[in-house]
Amino acid sequence: METWLVTGGAGFIGANFVLLARQKQWANIVNLDKLTYAGNLQTLQSLRHDRGHHFIQGDIGNRELVKYILEQFAVTKIINFAAESHVDRSILAPDSFIQTNIVGTFHLLEVAKNYWQHLPPPAQANFRFLHVSTDEVYGSLSLTDPPFTETTPYAPNSPYSASKAAADHLVRSFHHTYQLPTLTTNCSNNYGPYQFPEKLIPLTILNAYENKPIPVYGKGENIRDWLYVTDHCTALYQVLTQGTPGETYNIGGESEKPNLEVVTTICSILDEIAPQATPRQSLITFVKDRPGHDLRYAINCNKIKTQLGWQPQENFTSGIRKTIEWYLHNLDWVNSVRSGAYRQWLQQNYGDRGASEPRPTQKHL
Ligand code: NAD
Ligand code: TYD
């Protein structure tokens, strides 16, 4: 069986990918993760006796360590999830985004290139470097624009998306200049098990469940295209095993929703699963908008569907219910990730936003 290096495999999507890869026996996995606030070994607990999974704490920018891993484990494929991933944090403190997303990816590419150049020809032909990126590199759509395709020009608007765009360009250049067999994927907003509760969906589920205010930026009119994380992982597998080196592939859930609809849907499902006297929609609180908030993202994923035969298995209705049920059944995991640092973040991000409007009444919803 091949051994793949997964970076950022203790984070949300990376861990889902590692768990699925081991369950489906896609490959043995070496998992390199720095364990920032977003990385959590609790997520990987079920693999603690799995001899096909090796966890190594470290930075993708540590060239010596990455070289050692590639050689020691005879790695055949790299899947780069490691990143700083939260837009709001990139607005308040962009430095680590530049460091990990751009400089870290550059170091990883350099080491991968040197390793790949010294492989024997058949192993060279089989090697892949898959870089996991975001649709946010394409900028913001108006309500009537067609969804992003692989040829939509890059126009990143936040320090996060700019750092991911820079990394995508480096990946592209390593293919064009050195013929490193790279693949890049640009996916829409993911949701599902093990997502850190700083992002909209898990934050809303937990706040609604615990009867805390649910913060909605601006008027809640911003639109995202929601992709269930397992569908994302199966798409990555298709790209990794069937994709053409040098190509980029868009991955989306074909589930565009305004934020307010996402939040009200979660409230209604929770009211049904765990009924209480006051409907949870009364917890919705409109707060000061995110600076430079992109209005709409939407993905055209015809390329991966037609060329690689991928198809999402979940729609938003099925995926959001599964996700809510997962969080309610895994409150131990939730408590383990809500450290002191998490509480500090809530204060930093929401402390001075205030409520910009009164809570909505039923008619707003
Ligand atoms: P996450 O923040 O949950 O996890 C990131 C992981 O990377 C963490 O485990 C963290 O410890 C690790 N990490 C950070 N810096 C590192 C470094 N220098 N070296 C090694 N490990 C490091 O992120 P996620 O939501 O799982 O996203 C994974 C990837 O997918 C990211 O590249 C992100 O840009 C991309 N993406 C995410 C979404 C989404 O909706 N979550 C959407 C599109 C693209
Ligand atoms: P988020 O989950 O942070 O993902 P991204 O910014 O990468 O799209 O946010 C999703 C949407 O939800 C985005 O439009 C911002 C909005 N949002 C809120 O309204 N309230 C919140 O507390 C958060 C975290 C996000």
Side-chain angles (χ1 to χ4, degrees):
M1 195 185 291
E2 292 190 18
T3 299
W4 297 349
L5 169 60
V6 169
T7 72
F12 164 47
I13 307 172
N16 273 283
F17 183 84
V18 168
L19 291 168
L20 200 63
R22 292 306 302 146
Q23 185 200 322
K24 297 210 176 278
Q25 295 281 297
W26 288 338
N28 291 325
I29 302 290
V30 194
N31 187 346
L32 173 66
D33 195 296
K34 189 174 172 182
L35 294 181
T36 67
Y37 77 92
N40 187 4
L41 287 180
Q42 187 79 14
T43 307
L44 301 164
Q45 266 301 302
S46 62
L47 300 180
R48 66 192 176 285
H49 301 304
D50 180 350
R51 295 171 67 83
H53 175 251
H54 301 265
F55 181 82
I56 298 172
Q57 183 173 7
D59 196 310
I60 54 167
N62 182 339
R63 288 194 188 205
E64 268 177 40
L65 176 63
V66 174
K67 180 173 183 289
Y68 169 84
I69 292 171
L70 295 180
E71 290 171 355
Q72 192 67 23
F73 290 90
V75 167
T76 55
K77 292 177 172 52
I78 300 176
I79 305 101
N80 183 31
F81 293 96
E84 290 293 336
S85 69
H86 191 31
V87 174
D88 292 321
R89 287 184 191 256
S90 84
I91 293 168
L92 291 171
D95 304 53
S96 59
F97 290 72
I98 306 304
Q99 207 50 46
T100 285
N101 300 2
I102 306 177
V103 181
T105 302
F106 166 67
H107 288 307
L108 189 65
L109 280 164
E110 277 279 280
V111 180
K113 179 196 71 173
N114 293 336
Y115 170 75
W116 168 76
Q117 282 175 337
H118 290 96
L119 289 174
Q124 258 189 6
N126 182 45
F127 186 82
R128 296 289 183 274
F129 183 108
L130 169 50
H131 176 64
V132 179
S133 189
T134 168
D135 60 358
E136 303 193 21
V137 297
Y138 298 122
S140 184
L141 295 169
S142 73
L143 295 180
T144 51
D145 283 333
F148 303 127
T149 69
E150 287 78 1
T151 56
T152 301
Y154 275 30
N157 287 322
S158 71
Y160 163 66
S161 54
S163 70
K164 292 296 290 185
D168 294 8
H169 290 321
L170 284 170
V171 173
R172 176 189 158 88
S173 77
F174 269 64
H175 175 74
H176 190 82
T177 305
Y178 310 109
Q179 291 78 54
L180 184 70
T182 62
L183 298 152
T184 299
T185 54
N186 296 89
C187 70
S188 59
N189 285 62
N190 283 223
Y191 68 107
Y194 301 113
Q195 187 168 31
F196 194 73
E198 64 183 354
K199 304 275 169 73
L200 179 70
I201 287 186
L203 183 84
T204 300
I205 294 172
L206 295 171
N207 282 17
Y209 183 65
E210 294 168 349
N211 268 302
K212 293 179 186 159
I214 301 168
V216 173
Y217 296 166
K219 294 181 177 156
E221 288 169 343
N222 303 67
I223 294 171
R224 298 293 182 261
D225 176 357
W226 293 98
L227 170 65
Y228 192 69
V229 65
T230 312
D231 283 329
H232 183 198
C233 293
T234 59
L236 293 176
Y237 178 73
Q238 287 297 105
V239 172
L240 195 60
T241 55
Q242 313 287 329
T244 306
E247 292 287 308
T248 72
Y249 296 89
N250 280 355
I251 308 169
E254 301 186 316
S255 294
E256 279 187 63
K257 304 268 172 229
N259 293 338
L260 196 53
E261 187 183 330
V262 170
V263 168
T264 53
T265 303
I266 294 171
C267 289
S268 309
I269 295 175
L270 272 170
D271 284 346
E272 178 202 317
I273 297 178
Q276 58 174 32
T278 321
R280 288 177 172 86
Q281 284 189 17
S282 63
L283 297 167
I284 293 173
T285 309
F286 292 104
V287 299
K288 198 164 107 195
D289 209 350
R290 171 186 281 173
H293 196 174
D294 285 339
L295 175 66
R296 173 175 166 241
Y297 306 137
I299 282 269
N300 175 331
C301 51
N302 285 344
K303 180 175 173 182
I304 186 171
K305 284 166 81 178
T306 54
Q307 292 187 11
L308 306 184
W310 172 81
Q311 193 69 41
Q313 298 301 306
E314 303 289 345
N315 56 35
F316 190 73
T317 308
S318 62
I320 195 65
R321 188 172 282 273
K322 272 191 181 179
T323 305
I324 293 170
E325 285 169 356
W326 185 88
Y327 276 90
L328 298 192
H329 289 125
N330 289 277
L331 293 171
D332 285 352
W333 179 90
V334 170
N335 291 331
S336 80
V337 303
R338 282 168 154 178
S339 62
Y342 175 69
R343 286 193 290 278
Q344 208 180 326
W345 161 253
L346 293 183
Q347 178 54 34
Q348 199 185 348
N349 190 41
Y350 298 101
D352 61 2
R353 275 187 197 268
S356 64
E357 288 174 37
R359 287 179 183 178
T361 55
Q362 207 65 24
K363 70 179 164 47
H364 289 110
L365 309 172

